[in-house]
Amino acid sequence: MKNYIKLLRTKFKKNGIDGYIVPKNDDYFTEYSKINRLKIISNFSGSAGLAIILKNKNYLFTDGRYTIQSQIECGKNFKILGFEKLINFNLFKNLKLGIDPKLFTNTQIKNFFLKYNKIKFINENLIDEIKKERENLAIPFFSLNKTITGEGTKSKINKISKYLKKNKSDYIFISAPENVAWILNIRGGDGPNSPVPNSRLIISKTNKILLISKIQKCKKLFKNKILKKNEFLDIEDLPKKILNLKGKNFIIDDKSCSIFYENLIKSKFNIINREDPTYHLKAIKNKTEIKNMINAHISDGVALTKFLYWIKKVNKKKITEVDAAIKLENFRKRNKNFLYPSFDTIAGAGKNGAIVHYRAKKNDCRIIDKKDIFLCDSGGQYKYGTTDVTRTICFSKQKKNIKNIFTKVLKGHIAVATTDINKDNVGKKIDKRARKFLNKSNLDYAHGTGHGVGFFLNVHEGPQSITKINTVKIKEGMILSNEPGYYKTNEYGIRIENLVYVKKSKKNLFFENLTLAPIEKDLINYNLLTKNEKNYLFKYHLEVYSKISGYLNSNEKKWLASFI
């Protein structure tokens, strides 16, 4: 890493810059990417971060989830600061900082940098010149039929075209690959944990499309007549194609359309900045998608329950956090529809559980002790559905204060699950319900309470979320996580996470659990629970038992029945 920083600095003079900015995202702005330039230069492996390398000092900006992790991974070589410090940070005043224009949006640059320093666009990425990570072109895109997605491609394109006409625009540039995936009902293998197809899409107000990618990836789509040759454009030919398109107005989404592509489109068209309508359209899952997600969660619940029983009641060996993660994945692999994890499993024992997005490594991990609290956050990509679940468990009797905190987290979890969505219909209102019991004891957690989840796509999806600031209206068909927690540095971490979907009965909206796995009863102080909360737990575990017990052996079944 130090050598990479030295090599990067040797390029400053040639490019006329005082420093270089390295974001976490690739040029598709996906959360998880096989290309991770930030990790190359800093060793930071979190999902949100940005490094600034100067001639004599290095800075890493991240959020509260990674406070501990960032210090461990790169604190010796970087000064660690929160993202909020990036705005008007006088240290960079009057410095000329280099960026790759394919990795930043105009909004990011305006908000964070242009107020106090000069930015120089450098089209050749300087990290790639040091260490190049190439995109894998061997994994082709594939299509999902209507029986899986519940809605055909023509219907989705028509919705986008109507949006264009309403906004008096000729075209829209769909720059987020997960949105391309949803519109065209295609998936790929370009994400490490998500079936995203690295691609972009142009849709016209007359329902014409141009899928922009590499031809190697689209051969299966051509062969199966999902895509016509005149509906494809190689990414290298985009500049020429833009100049030949007829029209006046072009919609882009500045959350995922880079400066490079915005400037390219701007050379011929008037730019209209709008949020890509696909985000809201795909956030509301149809009945077929919900049905598939329910089935995926039954499979996932079986695997997780078998794992929980094994690690608590069967395993007698000393195992590491990595051993536990591998064992859980092996339980998932028993299901023929399981493809791969939806993110790298977080398996944190004892003090490692306090690192919100901890990643155990084979040569650097903890042996799980009987006295430890063990936090396991994991998920899977299935045919067809995406799962994400956290359970915190123990192996011996715990102190009363730990049980009290776990119970307060549980009370927040139940408060979210039982929300009257007609009344509390936006994320920030629901977030207050989750934190209420911890806040009474002046306790809190430095992450959101819930995020949206994609259908056989990204495990993190917007625009809906349960956070202190989110104001997106919660609607029928949306899927969110429900995951309050508490983390005591150098001691333990607690998080309880289920996925839920929004269901409607008559005129009432409410959350229905997707996740089916027992919640650790040995960490609950039942004296702190109300009668309604105890009833909720009883009904939840009864539902878990009724849906997955048929897939368990007699010992597992008997153990699961003890939660009712």
Side-chain angles (χ1 to χ4, degrees):
M1 182 184 66
K2 284 184 180 178
N3 288 337
Y4 290 148
I5 290 171
K6 282 182 183 178
L7 286 170
L8 178 60
R9 285 175 174 154
T10 63
K11 298 176 180 295
F12 287 4
K13 188 174 181 180
K14 178 186 173 183
N15 288 283
I17 55 175
D18 302 301
Y20 193 66
I21 308 173
V22 185
K24 163 65 177 71
N25 59 275
D26 62 5
D27 56 343
Y28 289 96
F29 292 85
T30 48
E31 181 181 12
Y32 300 110
S33 172
K34 290 177 180 175
I35 296 172
N36 192 341
R37 298 176 179 95
L38 181 60
K39 191 171 190 306
I40 289 170
I41 204 66
S42 71
N43 196 45
F44 177 63
S45 62
S47 64
L50 178 144
I52 298 181
I53 313 297
L54 301 180
K55 291 175 181 176
N56 300 306
K57 201 157 187 179
N58 312 312
Y59 293 85
L60 179 82
F61 297 87
T62 186
D63 61 38
R65 294 172 296 170
Y66 297 110
T67 305
I68 302 172
Q69 181 180 332
S70 57
Q71 290 289 349
I72 293 169
E73 292 183 337
C74 49
K76 290 180 182 178
N77 297 299
F78 285 77
K79 183 173 177 61
I80 313 294
L81 295 165
F83 275 127
E84 70 281 357
K85 298 286 186 185
L86 197 54
I87 302 172
N88 295 326
F89 195 35
N90 286 326
L91 185 77
F92 303 140
K93 195 172 183 181
N94 300 321
L95 295 179
K96 186 180 281 187
L97 301 178
I99 69 161
D100 179 344
K102 286 191 175 79
L103 304 183
F104 290 87
T105 67
N106 261 317
T107 300
Q108 287 174 322
I109 296 301
K110 286 173 187 173
N111 289 346
F112 291 114
F113 300 108
L114 286 186
K115 293 176 183 177
Y116 52 87
N117 56 261
K118 299 170 185 174
I119 292 293
K120 182 175 182 181
F121 298 163
I122 303 170
N123 286 329
E124 295 302 317
N125 190 282
L126 298 188
I127 306 298
D128 289 353
E129 290 183 0
I130 298 166
K131 185 181 179 183
K132 180 77 172 176
E133 290 189 280
R134 298 189 182 278
E135 187 178 351
N136 186 352
L137 299 177
I139 304 173
F141 299 163
F142 59 94
S143 63
L144 304 177
N145 64 46
K146 193 177 172 181
T147 61
I148 296 165
T149 63
E151 183 179 7
T153 299
K154 285 183 180 178
S155 171
K156 294 177 179 181
I157 292 170
N158 191 47
K159 286 177 180 176
I160 305 293
S161 295
K162 282 182 179 177
Y163 177 84
L164 288 172
K165 289 168 187 172
K166 185 180 177 182
N167 286 275
K168 297 181 171 58
S169 290
D170 301 290
Y171 304 95
I172 185 169
F173 186 58
I174 308 289
S175 42
E178 65 268 27
N179 291 353
V180 177
W182 182 84
I183 294 166
L184 298 184
N185 287 338
I186 61 172
R187 300 294 189 268
D190 294 319
N193 304 102
S194 178
V196 291
N198 275 356
S199 55
R200 299 175 178 91
L201 182 68
I202 293 174
I203 301 178
S204 76
K205 66 181 180 183
T206 57
N207 290 43
K208 290 181 180 176
I209 64 165
L210 268 178
L211 178 63
I212 304 156
S213 187
K214 296 285 186 181
I215 197 159
Q216 298 98 311
K217 290 180 175 288
C218 296
K219 286 181 178 178
K220 193 180 275 190
L221 300 182
F222 295 137
K223 184 181 176 181
N224 296 330
K225 298 182 179 178
I226 303 298
L227 189 73
K228 298 173 184 173
K229 287 284 175 75
N230 64 356
E231 294 175 328
F232 169 80
L233 183 70
D234 191 283
I235 188 71
E236 303 298 328
D237 297 329
L238 183 58
K240 185 179 176 182
K241 186 67 179 179
I242 288 291
L243 294 174
N244 291 332
L245 290 175
K246 291 181 170 63
K248 184 180 178 183
N249 296 324
F250 223 114
I251 288 178
I252 66 163
D253 186 322
D254 61 8
K255 288 195 300 300
S256 59
C257 181
S258 68
I259 295 167
F260 179 87
Y261 289 110
E262 180 176 344
N263 288 345
L264 179 63
I265 295 167
K266 197 187 287 184
S267 66
K268 172 77 184 283
F269 292 89
N270 295 325
I271 294 286
I272 300 175
N273 277 304
R274 293 278 189 279
E275 184 176 49
D276 181 349
T278 315
Y279 286 110
H280 285 270
L281 291 170
K282 75 178 169 64
I284 298 171
K285 312 298 186 283
N286 59 48
K287 289 178 181 178
T288 303
E289 289 172 316
I290 294 292
K291 182 184 174 185
N292 281 319
M293 286 289 273
I294 288 170
N295 290 336
H297 278 82
I298 290 171
S299 299
D300 202 61
V302 171
L304 182 57
T305 301
K306 282 178 173 288
F307 168 75
L308 292 172
Y309 174 74
W310 173 83
I311 199 169
K312 277 183 70 75
K313 299 295 180 181
V314 177
N315 177 57
K316 302 299 179 189
K317 296 178 182 177
K318 290 272 187 182
I319 63 166
T320 67
E321 296 159 325
V322 170
D323 292 333
I326 291 170
K327 186 71 176 180
L328 174 53
E329 187 171 338
N330 285 338
F331 275 117
R332 285 191 166 108
K333 284 178 177 176
R334 292 182 185 181
N335 189 290
K336 64 179 182 180
N337 291 323
F338 175 76
L339 298 171
Y340 44 80
S342 55
F343 56 95
D344 292 338
T345 296
I346 299 165
K351 66 178 184 178
N352 290 339
I355 303 170
V356 180
H357 279 195
Y358 172 70
R359 293 287 185 270
K361 295 168 187 170
K362 191 174 182 180
N363 300 321
D364 182 21
C365 66
R366 184 181 174 97
I367 293 173
I368 301 170
D369 191 275
K370 287 261 182 188
K371 295 177 183 177
D372 285 338
I373 289 177
F374 179 59
L375 185 155
C376 188
D377 186 349
S378 67
Q381 295 286 2
Y382 290 82
K383 295 179 183 177
Y384 292 93
T386 303
T387 72
D388 181 5
V389 53
T390 308
R391 288 295 180 264
T392 306
I393 62 173
C394 64
F395 310 96
S396 60
K397 191 174 180 180
Q398 296 294 318
K399 294 175 184 176
K400 187 179 178 182
N401 71 308
I402 291 176
K403 291 177 76 170
N404 287 349
I405 291 172
F406 180 90
T407 307
K408 287 170 185 177
V409 172
L410 175 60
K411 286 167 77 73
H413 177 89
I414 294 171
V416 171
T418 56
T419 298
D420 179 353
I421 302 173
N422 286 36
K423 180 185 172 186
D424 295 325
N425 63 351
V426 295
K428 72 176 189 176
K429 288 183 179 179
I430 302 170
D431 189 80
K432 287 180 182 177
R433 293 172 61 82
R435 297 176 196 271
K436 177 182 174 182
F437 305 98
L438 286 167
N439 289 170
K440 282 180 180 177
S441 304
N442 295 316
L443 304 174
D444 205 350
Y445 47 96
H447 59 75
T449 300
H451 54 82
V453 179
F455 168 69
F456 188 44
L457 262 177
N458 292 334
V459 74
H460 295 146
E461 173 183 286
Q464 78 279 17
S465 67
I466 304 172
T467 68
K468 292 179 179 179
I469 60 172
N470 193 284
T471 57
V472 173
K473 195 171 180 181
I474 305 296
K475 296 180 180 179
E476 181 184 8
M478 285 183 170
I479 295 176
L480 296 113
S481 68
N482 169 12
E483 51 179 312
Y486 179 72
Y487 312 89
K488 190 165 185 179
T489 304
N490 290 324
E491 291 197 30
Y492 61 84
I494 294 167
R495 186 161 64 251
I496 305 167
E497 177 187 19
N498 279 6
L499 295 193
V500 295
Y501 71 96
V502 182
K503 198 171 179 180
K504 191 173 188 177
S505 178
K506 296 178 182 177
K507 290 185 179 180
N508 295 318
L509 289 176
F510 57 93
F511 287 130
E512 185 87 354
N513 277 302
L514 284 166
T515 302
L516 300 166
I519 294 169
E520 177 64 278
K521 61 181 178 178
D522 295 333
L523 281 170
I524 300 173
N525 179 352
Y526 286 92
N527 293 327
L528 296 183
L529 296 181
T530 65
K531 185 180 178 181
N532 285 340
E533 289 165 341
K534 289 175 182 175
N535 285 340
Y536 171 86
L537 271 182
F538 171 79
K539 288 177 182 175
Y540 174 70
H541 285 118
L542 185 63
E543 182 188 18
V544 172
Y545 187 85
S546 67
K547 289 189 176 176
I548 71 169
S549 61
Y551 303 96
L552 306 177
N553 66 37
S554 58
N555 289 332
E556 293 162 344
K557 198 180 291 189
K558 187 178 178 181
W559 176 73
L560 183 58
S562 71
F563 286 82
I564 300 172

